């Protein structure tokens, strides 16, 4: 008797006419007056269910089988055969069935056999993976995670675990989540009348990181090619389809590279990931094709085959200014692009992904390398249709004098960055890097527009379920 996943059953025909064992949960059940029950089981290993046929001569047919409801967990042992029905390839003729877990009050089970909306599922994140859509997303997250690491390993990058707790804001601005063990009802106050963080756990203010970039850079300056992947945190009051307060980001740093190098690296990485998905996740992508996006196969294949267009920031501004579309905000040279500007460029003007590069320095962070014009920095963003920015990166400023000047210009405390300046004091090196938003990439691949539906337990403004 072979213990199998449903995925293994569908991957080959080796187990037909053999006795097998399957663990899973009831997706549907039908009982006939002739004393035969049909139960569809899923186990999360693939999009497929498998039908099991149970006759009334089973010992616990009346006491348990007839009482099964959607969501019950069971184990079945029986003979795998080709199904005579047209709706499924296989079925199991059950010899024995065990029930592990019953559903309390089946009529109120939150995951019904009818379609659950994404908005509804966000209210029950602990149960949503029991639906087809979320199970598909979960498997795709897993495969994209694997493909990403596989590509980087093949290309000799080293994974570095950068800290989640930090004292610095890598972006130089923006709200951060504070980490503290202080008693908020009895805060220690210093002589200036401010909170005395010297009595806190780390002896100073500390926060959840907005990026692992700065610490990853330190390893790139000795290991050449490194990356970090983990959760990062933004305390932005942005309740949109594109924003999460906690999301996952891949960050790559590489020495002896410039802006053109990392544009090529980032494009090759995403193409590798998408090719892996198309090669290994066809049943799940096909589900999305049927339910979400009829263009998904064509769109992903097109991304792989075409080189991504590159434009200068000032070229993007000129395109927007010539446009006859009305934007929420007019744009001038030196302004940052809003989401509707980005959508116009990729959805209407180019109708394809684009890299925008060489932004004005006032729009970007202190660590980005100043260009020869001393007005722009060697930075780039990758914009994808219907999503917007998915990657942001730059060549890093390796010249200590220029870096110091930028830190002071932005009124940052230069003492906080003394260790960062050491990287320029001791064998400085040209280096570059970028960050890739994992959920936004998943949004582009799947065609699911709201990133809240692409992470198991979304953290957003006024939302901390589970």
């Amino acid at each position: 008797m072979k213990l199998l996943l449903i995925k293994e059953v569908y991957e080959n025909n080796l187990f037909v006419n053999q006795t097998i064992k399957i663990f899973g949960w009831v997706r549907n059940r039908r009982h006939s007056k002739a004393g035969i029950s049909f139960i569809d089981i899923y186990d999360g290993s693939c999009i497929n269910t498998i039908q099991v046929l149970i006759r009334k001569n089973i010992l616990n047919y009346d006491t348990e089988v007839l009482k099964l409801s959607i969501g019950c967990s069971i184990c079945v042992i029986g003979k795998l055969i080709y199904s005579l029905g047209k709706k499924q390839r296989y079925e199991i003729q059950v010899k024995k069935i065990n029930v592990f877990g019953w559903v309390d009050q089946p009529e109120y089970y939150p995951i019904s056999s009818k379609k659950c909306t994404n908005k509804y599922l966000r209210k029950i994140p602990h149960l949503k993976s029991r639906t087809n859509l979320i199970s598909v997303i979960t498997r795709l997250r897993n495969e994209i995670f694997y493909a990403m690491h596989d590509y980087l390993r093949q290309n000799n990058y080293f994974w570095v675990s950068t800290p989640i707790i930090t004292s610095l804001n890598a972006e130089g601005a923006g709200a951060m989540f504070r980490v503290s063990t202080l008693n908020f009802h009895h805060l220690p106050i210093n002589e200036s009348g401010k909170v005395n963080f010297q009595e806190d756990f780390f002896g100073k203010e500390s926060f959840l990181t907005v990026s692992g970039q700065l610490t990853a850079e330190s390893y790139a300056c000795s290991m050449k090619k490194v990356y970090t992947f983990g959760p990062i945190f933004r305390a932005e009051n942005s309740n949109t389809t594109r924003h999460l307060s906690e999301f996952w980001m891949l960050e790559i740093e590489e020495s002896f590279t410039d802006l053109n190098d990392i544009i090529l690296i980032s494009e090759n990485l995403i193409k590798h990931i998408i090719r892996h998905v198309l090669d290994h996740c066809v049943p799940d992508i096909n589900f999305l094709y049927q339910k979400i996006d009829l263009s998904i196969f064509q769109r992903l294949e097109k991304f792989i085959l075409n080189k991504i267009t590159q434009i200068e920031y000032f070229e993007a501004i000129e395109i927007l200014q010539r446009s006859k579309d009305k934007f929420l905000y007019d744009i001038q040279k030196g302004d940052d692009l809003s989401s509707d500007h980005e959508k116009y460029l990729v959805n209407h003007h180019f109708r394809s992904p684009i890299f925008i590069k060489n932004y004005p320095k006032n729009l970007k962070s202190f660590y980005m390398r100043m260009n020869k014009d001393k007005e722009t920095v060697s930075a780039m963003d990758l914009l994808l249709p219907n999503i917007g920015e998915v990657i942001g990166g730059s060549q890093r400023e390796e010249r200590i004098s220029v870096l110091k000047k930028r830190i002071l210009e932005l009124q940052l405390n230069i003492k906080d960055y003394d260790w960062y300046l050491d990287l320029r004091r001791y064998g400085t090196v040209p280096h570059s890097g970028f960050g890739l938003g994992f959920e936004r990439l998943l949004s582009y691949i799947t065609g699911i527009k709201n990133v809240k539906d692409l992470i198991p337990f979304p953290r957003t403004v006024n939302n901390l379920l589970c």
Side-chain angles (χ1 to χ4, degrees):
M1 179 174 56
K2 182 75 172 178
L3 173 60
L4 295 175
L5 296 171
I6 294 175
K7 177 184 178 181
E8 295 174 302
V9 172
Y10 276 87
E11 283 179 340
N12 53 66
N13 299 320
L14 296 178
F15 308 105
V16 176
N17 295 323
Q18 293 187 29
T19 299
I20 65 170
K21 178 190 287 188
I22 294 284
F23 290 100
W25 294 267
V26 175
R27 175 62 50 81
N28 284 302
R29 76 275 186 265
R30 308 181 302 282
H31 306 295
S32 74
K33 294 180 181 179
I36 301 175
S37 292
F38 300 91
I39 298 176
D40 296 327
I41 302 176
Y42 72 96
D43 66 1
S45 65
C46 63
I47 191 63
N48 298 106
T49 58
I50 193 162
Q51 178 176 277
V52 301
L53 185 152
I54 309 172
R55 300 185 184 276
K56 63 180 180 180
N57 59 355
I58 294 291
L59 183 64
N60 55 345
Y61 186 82
D62 292 327
T63 58
E64 293 190 319
V65 172
L66 291 178
K67 296 178 181 179
L68 286 173
S69 61
I70 296 171
C72 289
S73 59
I74 61 176
C75 170
V76 296
I77 297 172
K79 184 180 181 181
L80 179 70
I81 63 170
Y82 289 114
S83 177
L84 297 177
K86 296 180 179 180
K87 293 184 178 181
Q88 60 278 325
R89 187 189 308 173
Y90 304 105
E91 66 182 26
I92 299 174
Q93 295 180 331
V94 174
K95 299 177 181 178
K96 184 178 181 181
I97 178 170
N98 292 324
V99 181
F100 291 108
W102 296 94
V103 171
D104 295 339
Q105 296 181 296
E107 64 272 23
Y108 298 113
Y109 182 54
I111 306 296
S112 69
S113 58
K114 297 179 181 179
K115 183 179 180 181
C116 298
T117 66
N118 290 347
K119 184 178 180 180
Y120 170 73
L121 292 176
R122 288 176 212 139
K123 299 176 182 178
I124 49 170
H126 57 298
L127 298 176
K128 67 181 183 179
S129 63
R130 302 178 182 210
T131 64
N132 278 330
L133 177 63
I134 303 301
S135 70
V136 163
I137 292 169
T138 303
R139 286 187 293 271
L140 287 172
R141 274 186 75 100
N142 179 72
E143 284 298 323
I144 293 169
F145 171 86
Y146 169 81
M148 183 178 70
H149 287 282
D150 180 58
Y151 176 86
L152 293 169
R153 184 174 181 274
Q154 287 180 25
N155 286 275
N156 300 305
Y157 287 85
F158 297 104
W159 170 68
V160 176
S161 53
T162 55
I164 289 176
I165 300 174
T166 181
S167 62
L168 291 177
N169 186 339
E171 299 298 320
M176 302 175 71
F177 291 104
R178 192 182 304 281
V179 175
S180 178
T181 59
L182 294 177
N183 184 340
F184 281 15
H185 299 290
H186 300 284
L187 290 173
I189 305 298
N190 60 25
E191 295 177 354
S192 302
K194 297 181 179 180
V195 176
N196 185 2
F197 287 103
Q198 290 183 349
E199 295 189 24
D200 208 346
F201 187 89
F202 294 106
K204 61 195 305 186
E205 284 188 274
S206 54
F207 307 90
L208 294 177
T209 187
V210 299
S211 171
Q213 176 205 315
L214 301 187
T215 43
E217 275 188 63
S218 67
Y219 271 70
C221 291
S222 59
M223 306 292 291
K224 191 177 184 300
K225 303 169 76 168
V226 303
Y227 72 99
T228 184
F229 180 68
I232 64 171
F233 308 86
R234 303 282 171 91
E236 297 174 345
N237 192 8
S238 299
N239 194 8
T240 74
T241 59
R242 300 168 63 240
H243 288 89
L244 293 164
S245 298
E246 176 186 327
F247 58 97
W248 285 69
M249 181 172 282
L250 168 71
E251 296 180 276
I252 290 176
E253 296 294 326
E254 183 172 345
S255 291
F256 308 103
T257 56
D258 60 19
L259 182 65
N260 292 325
D261 293 323
I262 60 163
I263 287 176
L264 181 61
I265 292 166
S266 61
E267 181 173 346
N268 289 341
L269 169 64
I270 296 182
K271 287 183 175 179
H272 173 87
I273 290 171
I274 292 176
R275 173 47 61 199
H276 177 92
V277 167
L278 289 175
D279 287 345
H280 296 89
C281 307
V282 172
D284 287 329
I285 295 296
N286 193 55
F287 174 86
L288 295 173
Y289 168 79
Q290 295 173 2
K291 303 292 184 179
I292 303 293
D293 182 4
L294 289 173
S295 70
I296 188 167
F297 284 103
Q298 180 183 7
R299 178 168 53 80
L300 296 180
E301 288 284 0
K302 183 179 178 181
F303 185 97
I304 294 171
L305 294 175
N306 294 335
K307 186 170 179 60
I308 300 177
T309 300
Q310 299 182 31
I311 63 169
E312 298 285 324
Y313 163 85
F314 291 112
E315 183 183 349
I317 298 300
E318 290 173 359
I319 291 170
L320 293 167
Q321 289 177 335
R322 291 196 303 267
S323 168
K324 296 179 181 179
D325 282 35
K326 291 185 178 180
F327 302 113
L328 189 60
Y329 302 104
D330 291 333
I331 192 162
Q332 304 297 327
K333 290 182 179 180
D335 292 344
D336 205 357
L337 301 181
S338 65
S339 60
D340 59 333
H341 295 140
E342 293 176 346
K343 288 178 181 177
Y344 172 80
L345 290 169
V346 292
N347 293 353
H348 302 291
H349 185 82
F350 289 98
R351 298 185 180 181
S352 67
I354 60 170
F355 283 106
I356 301 178
K357 59 185 182 179
N358 295 319
Y359 284 80
K361 66 179 182 180
N362 64 296
L363 299 180
K364 295 297 181 179
S365 298
F366 69 94
Y367 50 74
M368 298 188 178
R369 194 179 200 277
M370 189 78 69
N371 288 327
K372 291 181 180 179
D373 60 14
K374 297 186 179 180
E375 295 297 327
T376 62
V377 289
S378 192
M380 64 85 169
D381 291 329
L382 172 61
L383 308 183
L384 298 182
N386 300 314
I387 309 299
E389 181 189 342
V390 171
I391 285 179
S394 74
Q395 185 171 344
R396 313 313 190 190
E397 184 56 77
E398 85 281 9
R399 299 163 296 187
I400 191 168
S401 60
V402 180
L403 182 58
K404 281 183 177 179
K405 184 178 179 181
R406 286 289 290 149
I407 291 173
L408 294 172
E409 279 179 0
L410 294 171
Q411 299 181 335
L412 301 174
N413 186 347
I414 199 164
K415 291 182 180 179
D416 291 339
Y417 297 92
D418 194 55
W419 67 270
Y420 189 65
L421 294 170
D422 275 349
L423 305 178
R424 281 73 180 167
R425 293 187 183 104
Y426 308 134
T428 190
V429 60
H431 60 289
S432 307
F434 63 86
L436 183 157
F438 192 72
E439 281 74 29
R440 288 191 183 180
L441 176 61
L442 188 58
S443 177
Y444 177 72
I445 290 174
T446 61
I448 296 169
K449 295 179 180 179
N450 197 325
V451 293
K452 298 181 186 70
D453 303 320
L454 297 167
I455 192 167
F457 298 94
R459 270 71 176 106
T460 56
V461 179
N462 297 320
N463 177 42
L464 194 64
L465 294 175
C466 296

